[in-house]
Amino acid sequence: MGTAAALEKLIPVVLAFGGGVLLARRKVVPAETSKVFADYAFLFAVPCYLFGNIYASDLGALFHWRGILGYATAAALAVLGVGLAARLYGGTGARGAALRIMASVQVNTAYFAVPVFITVFGTAAPVFPVLLFQVCVLSLVVITVMEFGRPGTGGRPLRAVAASLATPLVLSCNAGIVLNLLSVPLPGPLLDGFAFVGDSASPVALFALGLHLGGLGLNLRGTTAEEAAIVAFKCLGFPLLTWAVCGGLFGVSGDWLAYLVLLAAMPTPQNLFIFAQRYEVDVDLSAALVIKSSVAALLLLPLWLQWAALV
């Protein structure tokens, strides 16, 4: 895939994302309404898309276990490296280190990876296993560290874990897997309804992200060394580590190696900012990382797509 072909693939992504940025900057659509669009995508459209596609998928092909294990190993190595660097060089406590791990290792699946994969590959199926791993493992670790760092935690971590597992994204994935395995027939009109709503997930999620980032603005001159290091690791270091571990240690090749590396190259998730606000930890840093990693990932996507075509 040449540069021109890669850019053509990204035209719908840039249009939806850029439209949100432009309308927010010109104050045609208030930036604060991004939460409404994001909630629609996160709580309704994306779960509909995930459920319908997982229900109709070949689970044997969907869960490439060697690839998933390789990705999990790369993520574990990244967690250890970033956590150690945060404690040694950043001088942060456990909660600050957990936030930096989340920024460096977790990826924006619902608002970035899903729409990009749908646009580029015609399917977001490769995102599903990583999404489940991220929510059920990585997010739970971060939530637990954050909760234990609060005074008088008394049982909050368990409630936080339960709340994370009960999110529409996780429920829709699990419901799709269970009904698929049990071969439970669902009415065609119902599946058509899930597909109709799910088709709106990609443009709405990207538009919401554009509104959000357009409202916050981008201050490149004020970028700190720590911000630059985290964004560089998230958009370059982590995907390269994933390529080395999955391809070199676990023998993953072909499409799945490309999928996993591209997933690792996705930006820091928006909920980093939500976590930072909730637990009052490095709020300004979190907002900057969400914005700058999203811009960096978007700029680097054509290069990663060209690389993926050579795998």
Side-chain angles (χ1 to χ4, degrees):
M1 182 185 297
T3 302
L7 290 175
E8 287 177 4
K9 288 281 189 180
L10 291 176
I11 287 175
V13 175
V14 174
L15 184 61
F17 176 83
V21 172
L22 180 63
L23 292 177
R25 297 297 292 172
R26 292 183 173 275
K27 303 188 184 305
V28 176
V29 178
E32 55 269 21
T33 61
S34 66
K35 187 177 186 305
V36 177
F37 290 101
D39 284 346
Y40 166 80
F42 182 76
L43 299 175
F44 187 45
V46 172
C48 283
Y49 177 86
L50 293 175
F51 173 80
N53 280 270
I54 291 176
Y55 173 79
S57 294
D58 177 358
L59 294 183
L62 179 60
F63 286 88
H64 188 288
W65 295 109
R66 190 169 55 184
I68 296 168
L69 183 58
Y71 186 91
T73 301
L77 292 173
V79 166
L80 292 175
V82 173
L84 183 61
R87 298 302 296 270
L88 291 179
Y89 303 106
T92 63
R95 295 165 75 195
L99 200 73
R100 285 158 175 79
I101 287 171
M102 185 176 183
S104 303
V105 181
Q106 290 209 33
V107 301
N108 190 331
T109 52
Y111 302 126
F112 210 100
V114 167
V116 166
F117 268 63
I118 293 173
T119 302
V120 174
F121 300 113
T123 178
V127 179
F128 305 154
V130 172
L131 171 64
L132 290 174
F133 165 72
Q134 186 163 276
V135 173
C136 298
V137 179
L138 293 178
S139 290
L140 296 190
V141 171
V142 172
I143 290 172
T144 301
V145 171
M146 291 291 192
E147 286 289 348
F148 274 120
R150 300 175 74 179
T153 54
R156 284 199 190 100
L158 292 178
R159 291 202 296 272
V161 168
S164 179
L165 293 175
T167 59
L169 284 176
V170 178
L171 288 176
S172 63
C173 289
N174 289 334
I177 290 171
V178 170
L179 295 180
N180 183 308
L181 291 174
L182 295 177
S183 299
V184 176
L186 292 179
L190 180 61
L191 293 176
D192 290 342
F194 282 122
F196 178 77
V197 175
D199 285 343
S200 68
S202 175
V204 172
L206 287 169
F207 183 73
L209 183 60
L211 281 177
H212 176 73
L213 299 185
L216 288 178
L218 181 65
N219 181 14
L220 292 178
R221 291 183 179 179
T223 301
T224 65
E226 183 179 33
E227 290 172 7
I230 291 176
V231 170
F233 180 80
K234 178 70 213 65
C235 297
L236 289 172
F238 185 43
L240 290 174
L241 176 63
T242 301
W243 169 72
V245 172
C246 292
L249 296 181
F250 287 84
V252 182
S253 60
D255 289 344
W256 265 100
L257 181 59
Y259 294 152
L260 294 171
V261 172
L262 285 172
L263 275 170
M266 294 294 108
T268 297
Q270 274 184 302
N271 59 3
L272 177 78
F273 181 65
I274 297 172
F275 274 45
Q277 283 187 315
R278 174 176 173 78
Y279 296 105
E280 299 179 347
V281 180
D282 296 317
V283 177
D284 291 339
L285 173 66
S286 299
L289 291 175
V290 170
I291 296 171
K292 292 171 184 178
S293 68
S294 296
V295 173
L298 195 62
L299 293 174
L300 289 170
L301 263 179
L303 299 178
W304 286 118
L305 288 174
Q306 288 186 72
W307 171 87
L310 300 175
V311 174

